Amino acid sequence: MASKEYLISILKDNNVFKTGDFVLSSGKKSNYYIDMKKAITEPNILKTIAELIDQAISSEKIDKVAGPALGAVPIATALSLKSEIPLLMIRKEKKGYGTSKLIEGELNDGDNVVVVEDVTTTGGSLLKAIKAIQENGGIVKKAFVVVDREEGAISSLNDEGILIEPLISVNEFF
């Protein structure tokens, strides 16, 4: 059975935590970076993340698993395969061609949705994905993030009525 300790161990083994000078997607500067894009290309890491989230949602009635592009899509896909719950992919913006959808996959009114994310800092991109689901009739039951940087994401999502559960908080690595 997957554990938080095992996930931390394999993330460390894969050098997911880097030190230096970085600019984050939120625009903030940081002296460390969590390279989850590297992590989510490793099957064992994806499998472990999916198992941990699946354990946490197994007793709930969840209709869809969603992940915002790009980093969360492999996580949501792994969870969808593990749980056998259909997948939704949330684009950063509507595409200007084809069906012009913001959400790929079948979202029905009243669907209970779990949203996953790779890393959160302020929670802005995760909140944008959650709002897209809500505006299209979905009910976001909970959000999971693999690593929370502990820079406001949990409180800002709680302020919006969204429960977010980090698998790991960044201080658990240092």
Side-chain angles (χ1 to χ4, degrees):
M1 181 177 279
S3 70
K4 174 192 265 195
E5 294 73 22
Y6 180 66
L7 178 59
I8 291 170
S9 170
I10 58 178
L11 289 174
K12 285 181 177 180
D13 289 349
N14 282 273
N15 299 313
V16 171
F17 297 90
K18 303 181 182 312
T19 56
D21 293 318
F22 302 97
V23 177
L24 307 175
S25 65
S26 64
K28 289 185 172 189
K29 292 186 179 189
S30 178
N31 61 356
Y32 69 94
Y33 180 70
I34 303 163
D35 192 356
M36 286 302 294
K37 303 304 183 278
K38 177 181 182 199
I40 60 176
T41 62
E42 293 294 329
N44 189 41
I45 294 174
L46 274 175
K47 178 181 167 204
T48 301
I49 291 167
E51 288 173 355
L52 288 169
I53 298 172
D54 186 55
Q55 290 168 19
I57 66 171
S58 64
S59 64
E60 299 182 41
K61 185 191 178 314
I62 303 299
D63 301 303
K64 301 290 170 22
V65 171
L70 170 75
V73 170
I75 297 166
T77 302
L79 179 58
S80 176
L81 289 167
K82 172 70 179 159
S83 64
E84 298 184 354
I85 297 171
L87 172 68
L88 301 172
M89 295 178 287
I90 315 301
R91 295 177 179 277
K92 290 184 190 293
E93 56 191 45
K94 284 185 181 182
K95 60 183 186 172
Y97 56 90
T99 58
S100 301
K101 290 183 178 179
L102 183 62
I103 300 174
E104 296 294 343
E106 185 77 26
L107 177 62
N108 301 306
D109 275 352
D111 274 352
N112 292 323
V113 181
V114 164
V115 183
V116 298
E117 181 65 289
D118 57 353
V119 178
T120 53
T121 303
T122 62
S125 61
L126 181 56
L127 184 58
K128 184 177 175 185
I130 288 169
K131 295 266 188 206
I133 292 165
Q134 292 171 332
E135 289 167 4
N136 285 278
I139 301 165
V140 177
K141 300 304 275 184
K142 190 184 278 190
F144 288 88
V145 62
V146 179
V147 180
D148 176 42
R149 290 180 54 97
E150 299 183 322
E151 295 183 35
I154 291 175
S155 63
S156 74
L157 286 161
N158 283 342
D159 289 348
E160 296 287 332
I162 303 298
L163 177 62
I164 180 170
E165 187 173 318
L167 298 183
I168 303 167
S169 294
V170 75
N171 69 18
E172 295 178 277
F173 289 96
F174 300 111

